[in-house]
Amino acid sequence: MQSKLVNALKLAFCLLPLFLLWNVHPADGLSRSSMHILAVFLSVILSLLLSDLKISVIVMVALLVLAFTQSFQCTTVDGIKVDCRRCQREIRPVPHLSFDGYNYTVTTEMPVSVYDVYQCDGMKQSFSIALSGFALPLSWLVLCSFQIGKAVERTGLGRRLSLILVRHLGGSILGLGYSLFASELILGPFLPSNTARGAGIIMPVVVSLARVLGSTPTASPTIGRFLILCGSHANLLISSIYMTATVANPLVSEHAADILGIKFDFPTWVLGSVVPGVFLILVLPPILAYICGAAEYDGTAVRHSAKTELESLGKLTWRECQLIMVVWVCLILWIMNILPEAFVAMTGLAMLLCMGTIQWEDVASNSQAWDAFFWLSGMVLIAEQLTALGLTRWFGRWCGDHFRDGHNPVRASIGLSSFYFFSMYFFSSLTGHIVAFVGPLMEAGKSLEVPPFLLTALLAYFSSLSGCLTNYSSGPPVVYFSQGYFKQSQWFLIGLGLACLYWLVYLTLGLAWWKWLGWF
């Protein structure tokens, strides 16, 4: 009885944003649909933190509520963007030429019979928009990366690579953590997709490594949790260190040139990140080991066991060779950046299926992949609608106005970038976050006369680091979280704690380094 009461209270708290915001009069520049989207989004976040429902169920209910209430943005037959709830209902006057016997006048104050209506089907378009997230390239990139990861497991290649790592670096649990950071550090400059790098290449090795060490979500999970966190945070940290480590980073440099008039190129980007970035690489594995309670083990025995098992595996099998070839093809195409990332990943998966490296049954039965595909598609769609309905622009303007009075330029830079960092809760794409906010915040910073290199550096490095806040911020957090080692609330709380660490390091050690560089 008590548990039912607790669950009822949790549900009521999760629905609180709906009751508080649903009928609130929107601010200037916003519509009622934007308030509905915001209310549903906040309820989803609270549900992820507090409820025991699966994330896919939460996202499904959210999409149905938004579709049923027609809270999306529709397009009329003549190309006008309008809230879906206004389709076929809201009348708009048609300019009319009238003659009173003396003069011709143009008026819109005509009888209702000559009024026009927005030509769109609100309910039909709303449901189509709710399903449109399942056609996004990011969703398919994550799904195909999951399936390639399944191939790494099924062929035994992941176990072989994990045993090699354990044999050479498995003398300590920290050695394994540092090896994951080193792998990301080496691949980062050459792979412009953090999802391809983290989800398609590193993650399968991380999962296999955990299993080699006898760690699963249900049995001895501490080592697996440590490795999962190392993989996820290494991906985001390295994505912040190199301008080319994720596809949207160059947008920050372009905005800096166009708006602030500075050159923030690859060498400048790395120069600004090297001190705080290397510091975090050194301190993160011990911190993550402490968070997870991952104790040291008998490294000598483990390395000897790995050596023995490697010898028993023998030479590479034909299926492992096929997989290595496909991964190298994908890696080269990703580095060359001549084809869409999702297209490359799907091509790689198709090659594996055609060669018989894995079977379609393996793909169809990979429930983790399809689960992540479903809820990520929904979250990305909701986040995109937040931008389409003007909420992100409104937040950017509000933030600039808030810091206009009574703040010196350095404090204004810190305030703008801090807002940017924690606004990641409202996004399920690093690229979407950058596109929505970097331009408006740089414009606000320019009007506040902030140091241009300081503001650009903070926005550049926080763009990827802020992805640690949630399990839906980018492809790698999605696939790492979906391995089942963490509850949703645990991932959020750990992410918030580490986000505060990143924020503190860059606003102390980072500021000191940039001051020495003369950036402000």
Side-chain angles (χ1 to χ4, degrees):
M1 182 68 181
Q2 187 175 2
S3 62
K4 291 183 178 180
L5 178 61
V6 171
N7 290 334
L9 291 175
K10 285 182 178 179
L11 177 62
F13 190 75
C14 293
L15 297 178
L16 189 61
L18 287 175
F19 295 112
L20 293 178
L21 298 176
W22 194 263
N23 291 315
V24 169
H25 183 74
D28 291 339
L30 298 179
S31 64
R32 190 166 296 279
S33 290
S34 62
M35 301 306 296
H36 292 177
I37 288 272
L38 179 61
V40 170
F41 185 79
L42 293 177
S43 291
V44 168
I45 301 300
L46 289 176
S47 299
L48 294 178
L49 287 169
L50 300 176
S51 78
D52 296 325
L53 290 173
K54 295 291 186 181
I55 185 170
S56 291
V57 176
I58 295 171
V59 171
M60 179 186 290
V61 172
L63 291 176
L64 288 172
V65 169
L66 291 172
F68 182 74
T69 57
Q70 301 179 34
S71 297
F72 293 118
Q73 187 178 65
C74 289
T75 305
T76 65
V77 293
D78 47 353
I80 298 174
K81 300 288 186 181
V82 62
D83 289 359
C84 291
R85 63 183 182 82
R86 298 172 68 184
C87 291
Q88 300 296 338
R89 297 180 184 178
E90 185 75 15
I91 56 177
R92 55 185 174 93
V94 178
H96 181 77
L97 185 67
S98 61
F99 180 66
D100 60 4
Y102 298 97
N103 299 302
Y104 285 96
T105 57
V106 177
T107 180
T108 57
E109 298 179 359
M110 297 298 297
V112 172
S113 60
V114 298
Y115 278 26
D116 196 8
V117 298
Y118 289 114
Q119 296 297 322
C120 50
D121 188 329
M123 191 66 203
K124 184 177 180 180
Q125 279 201 42
S126 290
F127 190 60
S128 296
I129 293 170
L131 298 179
S132 64
F134 299 99
L136 294 171
L138 174 62
S139 302
W140 285 97
L141 175 59
V142 169
L143 176 65
C144 293
S145 297
F146 255 110
Q147 303 296 3
I148 292 174
K150 186 71 171 180
V152 172
E153 174 193 342
R154 296 286 292 183
T155 60
L157 181 61
R159 185 170 186 83
R160 185 185 297 275
L161 294 175
S162 301
L163 289 169
I164 292 172
L165 278 176
V166 172
R167 179 182 175 183
H168 294 285
L169 299 170
S172 69
I173 190 69
L174 292 181
L176 295 175
Y178 284 120
S179 70
L180 297 178
F181 279 84
S183 300
E184 284 278 357
L185 192 64
I186 293 169
L187 292 173
F190 309 107
L191 270 177
S193 169
N194 69 316
T195 300
R197 188 175 68 251
I201 297 174
I202 305 295
M203 183 276 294
V205 178
V206 169
V207 175
S208 297
L209 191 56
R211 290 174 180 168
V212 164
L213 297 173
S215 178
T216 67
T218 56
S220 304
T222 53
I223 292 179
R225 288 174 179 172
F226 168 72
L227 295 173
I228 288 291
L229 286 180
C230 281
S232 180
H233 286 268
N235 179 271
L236 296 171
L237 177 58
I238 302 309
S239 295
S240 74
I241 289 177
Y242 298 117
M243 188 180 78
T244 55
T246 186
V247 68
N249 279 350
L251 295 176
V252 180
S253 296
E254 290 181 14
H255 283 305
D258 295 340
I259 298 172
L260 301 178
I262 63 172
K263 185 179 180 181
F264 204 81
D265 54 9
F266 183 91
T268 308
W269 189 298
V270 174
L271 180 64
S273 66
V274 63
V275 170
V278 170
F279 174 79
L280 286 170
I281 289 175
L282 294 175
V283 303
L284 271 177
I287 292 174
L288 296 178
Y290 175 78
I291 291 174
C292 299
E296 289 292 350
Y297 51 78
D298 185 355
T300 303
V302 169
R303 294 172 72 175
H304 177 73
S305 175
K307 180 181 178 181
T308 303
E309 190 166 350
L310 266 174
E311 292 172 351
S312 68
L313 287 179
K315 297 180 179 180
L316 286 169
T317 65
W318 176 237
R319 292 172 68 207
E320 287 177 290
C321 292
Q322 290 176 328
L323 179 57
I324 291 172
M325 180 194 70
V326 169
V327 170
W328 269 108
V329 169
C330 292
L331 181 61
I332 292 170
L333 291 174
W334 281 326
I335 291 174
M336 295 175 65
N337 199 26
I338 58 176
L339 292 171
E341 300 157 359
F343 182 86
V344 172
M346 187 176 290
T347 301
L349 177 58
M351 291 172 64
L352 293 174
L353 289 168
C354 292
M355 292 187 298
T357 311
I358 57 172
Q359 304 301 316
W360 178 252
E361 288 73 17
D362 298 320
V363 174
S365 63
N366 192 352
S367 58
Q368 287 182 334
W370 294 106
D371 180 59
F373 172 75
F374 185 91
W375 66 258
L376 176 67
S377 300
M379 290 298 294
V380 171
L381 183 277
I382 294 173
E384 285 188 346
Q385 285 292 306
L386 285 172
T387 300
L389 290 168
L391 272 164
T392 55
R393 292 191 299 274
W394 182 86
F395 278 129
R397 290 196 302 270
W398 175 86
C399 197
D401 294 340
H402 179 73
F403 291 105
R404 188 171 301 281
D405 299 323
H407 290 77
N408 66 38
V410 174
R411 289 180 181 175
S413 297
I414 294 173
L416 291 171
S417 60
S418 298
F419 166 82
Y420 177 66
F421 192 113
F422 292 99
S423 67
M424 189 65 216
Y425 278 113
F426 297 92
F427 289 85
S428 53
S429 164
L430 299 182
T431 301
H433 190 216
I434 290 173
V435 169
F437 272 145
V438 167
L441 290 179
M442 282 188 177
E443 292 283 4
K446 183 178 181 180
S447 68
L448 296 171
E449 299 182 347
V450 303
F453 276 97
L454 174 61
L455 179 61
T456 302
L458 288 170
L459 295 178
Y461 305 136
F462 284 173
S463 291
S464 293
L465 291 172
S466 61
C468 72
L469 285 167
T470 68
N471 61 342
Y472 54 81
S473 62
S474 182
V478 171
V479 295
Y480 280 113
F481 167 76
S482 298
Q483 301 309 312
Y485 283 89
F486 292 93
K487 295 180 180 179
Q488 294 163 13
S489 57
Q490 291 175 325
W491 191 274
F492 271 66
L493 291 174
I494 293 172
L496 178 60
L498 292 173
C500 292
L501 171 66
Y502 298 151
W503 182 85
L504 182 63
V505 168
Y506 275 84
L507 293 183
T508 53
L509 183 59
L511 284 180
W513 173 237
W514 302 330
K515 182 72 173 177
W516 188 83
L517 291 175
W519 285 7
F520 67 98

